[in-house]
Amino acid sequence: MTSATSNAGHRTKLSPELSEFLIELSIGVHRYSMYPPDHPTLRPAIETLVFRLSRLFAARARVDIGVAQKQLLVDGMATDARHPVLNDLAHRLHEHQLVAVSIHAGVTAEELAELLATLAAEADRGEDPAGQRPALPAWPHIRLHVLGYDQLELV
């Protein structure tokens, strides 16, 4: 039994692979927010994400990341709201009015670069949140899920 499981056999925290991917995703978004598009530090961030995702996709077809204001939700587990890097990513996605991000196997480095650039926009500093843009980017292997009330109904 690993440290990620309890005595009953249920996982109590994210796998190291998922945690590392989320941290690298946050770092990549942060780099894209700091540097111009042609800066040499951006390519290694993408390469690291491609590597992390290739390890995850060996055992799954996609990664779904739920978004709360201070936490991310993956595989039914929430990240630690006190983790500064993951808290920052959750906050940024929340500010973009996203409720989830889905990344499917086959995702390309170009798609990831566009995703990071989209998420790097400062939604809380005057730029349009991704969730309010007239048209979300149409990537073959990435889907941004926006907060919407148009499909809610009272039963």
Side-chain angles (χ1 to χ4, degrees):
M1 188 174 308
T2 68
S3 63
T5 60
S6 69
N7 291 337
H10 298 287
R11 290 171 32 140
T12 58
K13 66 179 184 176
L14 292 178
S15 69
E17 292 84 11
L18 275 170
S19 294
E20 291 166 1
F21 164 70
L22 292 173
I23 290 169
E24 293 297 338
L25 180 62
S26 182
I27 291 169
V29 170
H30 186 69
R31 284 186 184 177
Y32 268 74
S33 70
M34 290 178 21
Y35 298 109
D38 59 346
H39 197 276
T41 192
L42 301 181
R43 194 80 205 149
I46 295 298
E47 290 168 356
T48 300
L49 282 176
V50 168
F51 171 74
R52 297 280 183 212
L53 283 168
S54 70
R55 294 182 68 191
L56 288 173
F57 290 145
R60 61 177 65 219
R62 73 178 193 224
V63 175
D64 294 314
I65 306 164
V67 180
Q69 188 172 4
K70 296 181 180 184
Q71 295 174 289
L72 301 170
L73 306 156
V74 182
D75 288 350
M77 290 169 281
T79 58
D80 183 352
R82 297 168 298 178
H83 191 293
V85 175
L86 298 180
N87 179 297
D88 180 67
L89 180 59
H91 178 74
R92 185 177 292 269
L93 294 173
H94 186 265
E95 289 293 318
H96 274 291
Q97 299 179 10
L98 300 175
V99 295
V101 176
S102 298
I103 304 173
H104 297 260
V107 66
T108 65
E110 291 75 24
E111 289 173 291
L112 289 170
E114 290 177 19
L115 172 67
L116 295 181
T118 298
L119 299 178
E122 298 288 340
D124 59 348
R125 293 193 180 154
E127 294 188 41
D128 287 339
Q132 285 189 356
R133 294 180 189 162
L136 287 173
W139 298 300
H141 301 98
I142 299 172
R143 180 151 183 236
L144 302 179
H145 305 271
V146 299
L147 179 62
Y149 298 104
D150 57 333
Q151 298 179 8
L152 291 178
E153 63 181 60
L154 295 174
V155 179

